[in-house]
Amino acid sequence: MKSLKKIVALTGAGISAESGISTFRDSGGLWEQYDVMEVASIDGWHKNPQLVQRFYNDRRKQLGEVEPNEAHRIFAELEKNFDVTIVTQNVDNLHERAGSTKIVHLHGELTKVRSTIDPNLIIDVGYRTIEWGEKAPDGSQLRPHIVWFGEAVPLIETAAAIVAEADILLIIGTSLNVYPAAGLVGYAKRNVPIYLIDPNEVAYKGSNLTIIREKATIGMNQLKKLLWNLN
Ligand code: OAD
């Protein structure tokens, strides 16, 4: 049996936009409504943890009210013909709900919280609100299982090794503004075909790059046809 080609996809907020989740940096995006350093940094958490807790409670509740879109579903469908791994900056669970099986959440997961003293004590909370004062089993305050600005990205080396194995690299719905995630593209082997889907211009130039200037659902439909030819 011939082995399946490896697709690695770097996805960001744009892939979930058509599900009704705001991106961060577009006009009307979350960072226009909130100060990123107040709600998504380790300093912000130390300064006003209740505000941060509320911000993630709201995000988690909203996630329970939205559905994966066709772009997420096409990813799951691609697993029939390719070995697909998704390295996402998204903290939503729409890729898994659409049926994708190999997902690395670089920036954490909204449906999980963890101990503030033991990073390995992680608890699945689904879409529910975490009350201030709610404790982990070790007695510490619970915090969102999110990688904040000012914190290390524990899965970055795992992700870099995955990108280095890719036969085809996809970049979808990320402005490539946030490092180290944005630097992952640099780990791809030379001459690997790269497809970038985004309705707006993204500051990335590489060899073997095909840009599909569309929203994720339309772009993924177009890409699916192109990928069938590569299979
Ligand atoms: P951004 O908000 O920076 O970028 C979203 C990208 O999606 C932009 O390039 C948009 O043009 C594009 N976009 C908008 N609508 C789209 C659609 N329908 N289909 C496809 N693309 C669309 O989001 P990220 O790059 O994901 O981190 O942001 C990276 C990180 O910054 C996030 O993980 C988050 C944030 O601060 C943390 O909070 C730690």
Side-chain angles (χ1 to χ4, degrees), residues 13-14 18 24-26 31 89 107 147 173-175 178 198-200 216:
E18 289 163 89
F24 297 96
R25 295 176 183 77
D26 286 303
W31 297 156
Q89 293 169 80
H107 292 164
V147 178
T174 170
S175 62
V178 174
D198 201 296
N200 301 305

Side-chain angles (χ1 to χ4, degrees), residues 13-222:
I15 195 163
S16 298
E18 289 163 89
S19 293
I21 299 182
S22 291
T23 62
F24 297 96
R25 295 176 183 77
D26 286 303
S27 125
L30 277 174
W31 297 156
E32 262 180 25
Q33 300 165 51
Y34 298 90
D35 179 336
V36 49
M37 285 309 168
E38 288 197 347
V39 297
S41 78
I42 186 65
D43 290 345
W45 168 256
H46 289 142
K47 212 171 99 196
N48 191 348
Q50 282 102 327
L51 174 76
V52 176
Q53 190 85 286
R54 262 201 311 278
F55 174 77
Y56 286 100
N57 277 339
D58 290 347
R59 307 272 78 71
R60 194 179 303 117
K61 179 168 180 290
Q62 182 199 29
L63 179 56
E65 294 161 358
V66 301
E67 297 294 332
N69 64 51
E70 199 180 353
H72 298 107
R73 287 194 292 273
I74 290 174
F75 264 114
E77 196 186 323
L78 286 175
E79 290 192 15
K80 285 190 217 139
N81 296 69
F82 296 93
D83 175 359
V84 183
T85 307
I86 298 169
V87 175
T88 188
Q89 293 169 80
N90 296 347
V91 296
D92 67 48
N93 58 3
L94 297 180
H95 279 302
E96 34 278 75
R97 277 160 62 191
S100 285
T101 58
K102 291 203 279 180
I103 305 156
V104 176
H105 280 280
L106 273 184
H107 292 164
E109 293 172 75
L110 265 181
T111 54
K112 294 178 180 167
V113 296
R114 67 173 192 255
S115 150
T116 30
I117 50 182
D118 177 2
N120 296 317
L121 183 50
I122 300 165
I123 300 157
D124 213 315
V125 290
Y127 305 107
R128 82 173 176 85
T129 294
I130 301 300
E131 302 300 337
W132 184 248
E134 236 185 277
K135 301 278 195 309
D138 62 5
S140 74
Q141 171 63 48
L142 287 171
R143 60 159 278 177
H145 183 49
I146 301 285
V147 178
W148 285 318
F149 288 100
E151 295 189 303
V153 179
L155 289 172
I156 197 70
E157 282 175 20
T158 306
I162 291 168
V163 172
E165 291 289 308
D167 299 312
I168 301 164
L169 186 68
L170 314 182
I171 305 170
I172 296 157
T174 170
S175 62
L176 294 176
N177 263 301
V178 174
Y179 283 81
L184 284 172
V185 189
Y187 287 87
K189 286 182 293 221
R190 264 165 60 97
N191 301 324
V192 162
I194 301 180
Y195 295 87
L196 186 154
I197 300 176
D198 201 296
N200 301 305
E201 193 172 345
V202 175
Y204 173 71
K205 288 187 182 56
S207 52
N208 258 332
L209 174 66
T210 305
I211 296 176
I212 302 178
R213 187 74 73 84
E214 296 285 358
K215 290 184 171 181
T217 52
I218 297 172
M220 281 301 292
N221 266 300
Q222 293 182 5

